[in-house]
Amino acid sequence: MRKRILVVGASGFIGKNLFKHLKKQNLHDIFGTYFRNKHDGLIKFDYNDDKSINDLLSSTEPDIIIWCSGI
């Protein structure tokens, strides 16, 4: 069964490499976020904004969240 995996901070060094690796495997549905460093295929996300959190979780409905974001 395919899992829905959300990588928060997929535009940073660690998150980007993890995101690419998971996408390449093509075993699960992978979603990634960015805050300042816009990249194609990533979702803008501000974890200080409640609406942004609700929108992200309702649109991606992740089974697993991997937090690679900064402080």
Side-chain angles (χ1 to χ4, degrees):
M1 181 176 161
R2 291 178 70 90
K3 297 282 185 188
R4 297 172 64 86
I5 301 174
L6 172 62
V7 179
V8 176
S11 65
F13 179 76
I14 294 171
K16 180 177 12 176
N17 286 294
L18 176 63
F19 181 79
K20 285 181 182 180
H21 177 75
L22 293 172
K23 287 289 265 191
K24 189 186 300 185
Q25 287 182 333
N26 197 28
L27 298 174
H28 305 287
D29 298 325
I30 311 299
F31 304 93
T33 70
Y34 75 92
F35 178 62
R36 288 190 189 124
N37 303 321
K38 184 176 182 177
H39 290 276
D40 291 336
L42 298 182
I43 303 164
K44 179 149 176 79
F45 174 60
D46 179 1
Y47 59 76
N48 291 311
D49 178 19
D50 289 342
K51 183 178 180 334
S52 182
I53 294 169
N54 291 332
D55 290 347
L56 177 67
L57 294 177
S58 66
S59 67
T60 60
E61 297 181 344
D63 297 304
I64 299 168
I65 299 173
I66 302 172
W67 196 275
C68 297
S69 186
I71 317 173

